[in-house]
């Protein structure tokens, strides 16, 4: 995990949070690990980053004069930090950069997300986005699966663990092109191996097979779906900071491709497309929520809106979102440039002008100059 910030000259600074360190202080004194002597609104010792297990938290016990803000919310006590969090002390914005690991997967969101999924009792954890990970009682076990076919079988059954799958369907997945002489026997070998790793009762059924990992099992793509639902609900309730945390937790999972080892498999491509459909929705929640909070969250609104445009280069609502984010940050000129970029693209590629709503926003911004 790293913390990034800018000095008054615009030079970027970064501090790597070492796994051997226990605490990092933030303040105006030069003896602080994160020293901000130029910021008069920062106390001499303002706040502290503390390591808790594999994770880092930020703590402010009320000793700072102007308080500490995380994602637009005033901090009281401590809060776990995740990738993309913004910590505001005085006038300085500290940005956290990290890629969450499986062992902190269910705590990467916020308390409100973790309420729905209690990781403490989970004995089986599975990561399907990125390299396959199978963890049982804290031990990595994916290497014990029966080679590439065993990993494919396991991942396929996990992705459908709430339903029974016909053996013939599984055979088609394991041998999409050239079947062996006795595919049933081959499938039995891999299922036996899977039972050895997961437990005898993990495979239920004969002609129709279902994987039973237990109700408390943690699967990253299922967690991402739960976080997306939380993000939508929190946003609708007006809990914009909670919506950002939940959206960011889901995006942290979805930043890696689903089962890249099996790129050519049709079932993998289908699931990957479904997962990718969630990304723009999450980015939109993140951008709108950051705009609603304003202040130190406006850089997040700009970043999320820009990411949306990279995914949907012709969607006018995304351009308007970025224009609003720039304008809220006081950069009206940049917002007008975004409009001009949209207008040029639409005229050159489609031969149409921007919609009335977009032009109305443009005229409004022109009036602010």
């Amino acid at each position: 995990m790293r913390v990034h910030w800018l000095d008054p000259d615009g030079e970027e600074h970064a501090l790597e949070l070492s796994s051997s360190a226990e605490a990092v202080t933030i303040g105006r004194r030069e003896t602080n690990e994160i020293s901000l002597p130029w910021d008069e609104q920062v106390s001499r010792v303002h706040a502290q980053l503390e390591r808790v297990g594999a994770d880092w938290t930020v703590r402010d016990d009320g000793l700072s004069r102007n308080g500490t803000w995380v994602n637009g919310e005033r901090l009281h006590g401590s809060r776990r930090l995740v990738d993309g969090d913004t910590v505001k002390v005085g006038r300085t914005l500290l940005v956290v950069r990290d890629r969450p690991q499986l062992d902190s997967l269910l705590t990467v969101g916020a308390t409100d997300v973790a309420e729905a999924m209690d990781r403490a009792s989970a004995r089986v954890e599975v990561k399907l986005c990125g390299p396959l990970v199978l963890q049982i009682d804290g031990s990595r076990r994916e290497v014990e699966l029966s080679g590439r076919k065993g990993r494919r079988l396991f991942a396929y059954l996990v992705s459908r663990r709430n339903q029974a799958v016909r053996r013939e369907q599984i055979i088609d997945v394991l041998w999409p092109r050239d079947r062996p002489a006795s595919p049933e026997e081959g499938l039995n070998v891999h299922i036996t191996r899977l039972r050895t790793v997961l437990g005898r009762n993990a495979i239920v059924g004969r002609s129709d097979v279902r994987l039973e990992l237990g109700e408390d099992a943690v699967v990253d793509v299922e967690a991402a779906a739960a976080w997306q639902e939380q993000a939508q609900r929190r946003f609708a309730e007006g809990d914009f900071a909670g919506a950002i945390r939940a959206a960011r937790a889901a995006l942290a999972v979805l930043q890696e491709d689903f089962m890249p080892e099996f790129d050519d498999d049709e079932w993998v491509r289908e699931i990957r497309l479904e997962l990718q459909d969630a990304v723009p929705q999450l980015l939109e929640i993140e951008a709108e929520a950051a705009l609603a909070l304003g202040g130190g969250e406006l850089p997040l609104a700009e970043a999320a809106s820009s990411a949306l445009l990279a995914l949907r280069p012709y969607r006018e609502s995304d351009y308007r979102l970025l224009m609003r984010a720039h304008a809220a940050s006081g950069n009206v000129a940049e917002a007008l440039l975004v409009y001009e970029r949209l207008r040029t693209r639409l005229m050159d590629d489609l031969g149409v002008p921007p919609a009335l709503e977009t032009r109305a926003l443009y005229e409004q911004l022109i009036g602010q100059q």
Side-chain angles (χ1 to χ4, degrees), residues 5-8 13 25-46 65 89 91-92 94:
W5 67 96
L6 299 177
D7 64 22
H13 300 262
T25 57
I26 305 168
R28 210 169 64 248
R29 282 180 178 169
E30 293 185 359
T31 52
N32 291 296
E33 286 83 357
I34 298 180
S35 177
L36 311 170
W38 59 82
D39 195 332
E40 295 179 355
Q41 292 189 11
V42 173
S43 300
R44 286 176 294 178
V45 178
H46 193 105
R65 186 171 66 251
V89 291
R91 295 191 179 94
T92 304
L94 309 173

Side-chain angles (χ1 to χ4, degrees), residues 4 61 139 170-171 185 235 240 331-332 348:
H4 299 254
D61 292 320
S139 299
I170 298 173
I171 288 172
E185 292 182 10
F235 185 84
F240 300 121
N331 198 344
V332 175
D348 289 351

Side-chain angles (χ1 to χ4, degrees), residues 26 41 45-46 73 89 97 119 132 138 144 146 150 181 185 237 278 283 312 324 369:
I26 305 168
Q41 292 189 11
V45 178
H46 193 105
E73 283 188 334
V89 291
R97 289 286 176 250
R119 180 184 177 275
L132 175 66
E144 299 176 32
S146 52
E185 292 182 10
E237 293 172 348
L283 288 171
R312 307 187 299 200
R324 289 164 51 211
Q369 283 196 314

Side-chain angles (χ1 to χ4, degrees), residues 213-240:
L213 296 178
E215 293 183 359
D216 62 346
V218 174
V219 179
D220 60 347
V221 292
E222 295 174 4
W227 279 319
Q228 182 180 4
E229 183 179 343
Q230 282 274 5
Q232 293 168 338
R233 181 168 63 84
R234 294 294 181 185
F235 185 84
E237 293 172 348
D239 178 6
F240 300 121

